[in-house]
Amino acid sequence: MLDIRRIRQEPEELQRLLAKKGVEVDFGPLLDQDAKRRQLLTQMEQLKAERNRVSQEVARLKKEGQESQHLIEEMREVGDRIAAFESSVRQLDDDILRLLLTIPNPPLPDVPDGKTSEDNQEVRRWGAPRSFDFAPLPHWDLGEALKIIDFERARKISGARFAVLTGMGARLSRALIDFMLDHNRQRGYLEIAPPYLVNRDALIGTGQFPKFADDVFRVVPHELFLIPTAEVPLTNLHRDEILAEAALPIRYTGYTASFRAEAGAAGRDTRGIIRQHQFDKVELVQFVLPEESPDALERMVADAEHLLQLLGLPFRTVLLCGGDMGFAQAKTYDIEVWMPSYGRYVEISSCSNMGDFQARRANIRYRPSASKKTEFVHTLNGSALAVGRTIAALLENWQEPDGTVVLPEVLHPYLGGETRIVPT
RNA sequence: GGAGGGGUAGCGUAAUUGGUAACGCAGCGGUCUUGAAAACCGCCGCCCUAACAAGGCUUGCAGGUUCGAGUCCUGUCCCCUCCGCCA
């Protein structure tokens, strides 16, 4: 959420930055309502000050046994006027908040211009796509041949965009989660196991609501929502809290299933496990001092990249252009893994600096030791990594001509010493 | 799901028939001290403001009654205990 004071002070600059995301915003109505609200607020507070003063006077007169009826009648009328102001101010508050919640986070100045993923900037490349001397299979065919992914039965029990992992598929998934969590913990993140169902305020806090409610599964009649990412519960852990400066940075990692309705993604990635309604992910979330968030983002990307290096999966890292960024992000790096079936790099992690955007929505602050005033922290999040896509990448990149799949060494301890997946 | 008890600043506790939130601890700053402790003084919820002054708001949340609500009324959320159910 944008700071209304900043909108007052530099609306043109904000409009210029938001244009990088391809968003045109007219702050006019918002600023009008803001000005009106502050004017009404002042008048209301003056009346309240009078009422407080006279009420004290009434108490004093009563104690002394003196008549106070005329004051009470006077204040009854003042009370009615206050009530009228209150309802106007409340209405304006609601309107202003509703507008603010729909304005995206302006990108940081070093975010490149551009409209689509074509305009993203590649910043790094690691490993090289393998050249196969046989015809490699896509992971959906491999998964069925190895009997480790069952799409048929998933369709039966749940529908499209679901998968059942079987045998070594399920074990590989569990091993990856374990491996990723251990790795992240060793790099300074505290492991968290959060709820998968959250309330509306949590989703407003991280930015999914109110604008992207259609992408989230809603559990009626409880008004709870299935998390679209662990970012939601992890970031909201500190909603409405004032953190000690000494406690920062706070780094969390957590495994959860994630649930996305994928509204508007019809026809994309329909085969395989790249895009599912339910998928596993290990997430990183950080709360940091504002001045430290740029460095924290670089470090977070390196943490996620390191996992891919250990797994021996070729990847490239791209800095997203404004037009390809999400609603709440101030700066985003995507890490893309080489996916032979696609013949290109595919997103396997997205790491973002959210600036104070989520902190304002979720009211996450800290108290700088130097000053009395509280400040908003900066939040960051990133996947490390998306488990389903990692499985797909491992199967495709490490398949052998005989139909088996070689498992990277780092996973052997997590798989009881198994070194490859063989057909059963 | 049912019954009962509870929610006041980081923690622990106050507040007369309704009269405008008090105290202790912790924390921060200062005095004193070689340093520390102790003692003493100040600060120690939020908003508005460039900042100040002034003012407003704040007893889980949202309403209501009232000149005035921590206190009375309604709804709701959360926590605890017991019963029921349950992995």
Side-chain angles (χ1 to χ4, degrees):
Chain A
M1 187 164 67
L2 283 173
D3 183 0
I4 186 74
R5 278 172 292 200
R6 190 172 167 205
I7 298 178
R8 270 181 231 145
Q9 283 159 8
E10 43 174 35
E12 296 85 6
E13 170 69 2
L14 284 171
Q15 276 167 337
R16 192 184 64 76
L17 288 170
L18 286 168
K20 284 173 88 169
K21 279 196 174 179
V23 178
E24 227 177 282
V25 189
D26 178 11
F27 291 125
L30 184 59
L31 289 172
D32 287 347
Q33 283 176 316
D34 174 54
K36 193 169 171 201
R37 174 187 169 275
R38 283 184 296 152
Q39 189 211 330
L40 293 180
L41 198 63
T42 307
Q43 295 179 39
M44 180 182 76
E45 289 187 352
Q46 279 167 2
L47 285 177
K48 283 187 170 180
E50 183 185 354
R51 184 180 64 182
N52 287 342
R53 200 180 61 245
V54 175
S55 287
Q56 289 286 32
E57 179 71 3
V58 169
R60 191 183 63 78
L61 290 175
K62 283 205 168 179
K63 199 174 284 178
E64 294 173 0
Q66 296 191 49
E67 189 273 339
S68 58
Q69 196 52 39
H70 64 290
L71 288 180
I72 288 174
E73 274 160 26
E74 223 171 90
M75 284 309 103
R76 189 171 300 152
E77 196 233 328
V78 170
D80 290 344
R81 292 175 63 198
I82 289 174
F85 274 114
E86 271 180 339
S87 113
S88 306
V89 169
R90 194 178 317 134
Q91 184 62 51
L92 284 166
D93 277 340
D94 289 350
D95 292 347
I96 290 167
L97 181 63
R98 211 177 56 239
L99 286 173
L100 283 176
L101 286 177
T102 61
I103 299 172
N105 196 3
L108 291 176
D110 59 341
V111 166
D113 288 324
K115 290 195 186 325
T116 70
S117 55
E118 301 287 303
D119 305 313
N120 295 340
Q121 284 180 5
E122 183 174 306
V123 294
R124 265 186 300 285
R125 208 175 261 241
W126 185 90
R130 173 173 161 196
S131 60
F132 292 90
D133 50 13
F134 61 97
L137 294 174
H139 69 272
W140 50 91
D141 288 341
L142 266 171
E144 290 195 316
L146 289 165
K147 292 196 169 63
I148 60 173
I149 307 177
D150 188 339
F151 294 103
E152 284 287 325
R153 294 194 172 95
R155 199 168 303 133
K156 177 171 64 184
I157 61 177
S158 298
R161 291 201 191 279
F162 287 92
V164 174
L165 297 180
T166 327
M168 272 303 282
R171 290 181 64 196
L172 176 59
S173 175
R174 181 159 55 87
L176 280 168
I177 292 163
D178 231 10
F179 159 69
M180 291 173 188
L181 286 171
D182 282 348
H183 169 272
N184 297 340
R185 183 164 45 79
Q186 281 155 21
R187 286 175 87 103
Y189 297 83
L190 178 68
E191 183 175 340
I192 306 282
Y196 292 7
L197 287 165
V198 296
N199 57 33
R200 186 175 293 276
D201 284 343
L203 286 154
I204 289 173
T206 33
Q208 283 78 18
F209 279 12
K211 256 195 142 172
F212 304 98
D214 289 347
D215 294 328
V216 176
F217 285 107
R218 175 176 168 203
V219 181
V220 287
H222 304 285
E223 279 306 285
L224 286 169
F225 304 86
L226 283 165
I227 53 170
T229 160
E231 167 197 342
V232 176
L234 293 185
T235 304
N236 278 281
L237 280 178
H238 294 300
R239 173 151 50 93
D240 291 323
E241 288 187 19
I242 299 175
L243 304 166
E245 184 177 17
L248 301 175
I250 294 171
R251 299 191 182 96
Y252 292 144
T253 186
Y255 153 75
T256 71
S258 299
F259 305 87
R260 294 187 189 174
E262 295 292 356
R268 291 181 63 185
D269 309 304
T270 50
R271 309 202 65 182
I273 55 174
I274 298 299
R275 192 177 296 274
Q276 302 272 286
H277 285 313
Q278 172 187 326
F279 61 99
D280 293 309
K281 182 159 58 65
V282 174
E283 185 78 359
L284 306 174
V285 164
Q286 296 196 25
F287 305 81
V288 305
L289 294 175
E291 61 269 26
E292 288 176 2
S293 67
D295 286 347
L297 177 62
E298 299 300 322
R299 178 190 147 150
M300 183 179 260
V301 174
D303 291 334
E305 287 175 345
H306 192 239
L307 283 165
L308 288 166
Q309 291 168 359
L310 291 173
L311 292 169
L313 293 171
F315 66 86
R316 65 170 198 156
T317 302
V318 298
L319 173 59
L320 296 200
C321 71
D324 199 29
M325 290 175 67
F327 173 77
Q329 290 80 16
K331 182 177 178 179
T332 300
Y333 289 104
D334 274 6
I335 304 172
E336 301 175 337
V337 70
W338 178 254
M339 199 67 73
S341 62
Y342 279 57
R344 61 172 171 86
Y345 289 95
V346 172
E347 177 188 336
I348 195 168
S349 168
S350 188
C351 298
S352 300
N353 182 357
M354 320 301 272
D356 65 5
F357 189 78
Q358 292 179 325
R360 281 183 190 283
R361 292 177 158 244
N363 194 29
I364 308 169
R365 293 167 295 173
Y366 75 102
R367 200 184 304 281
S369 51
S371 96
K372 268 177 59 179
K373 202 107 174 88
T374 55
E375 302 282 349
F376 291 105
V377 301
H378 279 196
T379 58
L380 302 95
N381 62 73
S383 16
L385 301 160
V387 177
R389 293 187 180 185
T390 305
I391 292 173
L394 282 174
L395 295 180
E396 293 194 8
N397 283 285
W398 290 93
Q399 60 183 300
E400 294 290 290
D402 63 359
T404 65
V405 174
V406 173
L407 291 163
E409 212 170 299
V410 290
L411 292 182
H412 296 176
Y414 293 97
L415 288 163
E418 304 274 3
T419 58
R420 61 174 59 215
I421 306 174
V422 297
T424 52

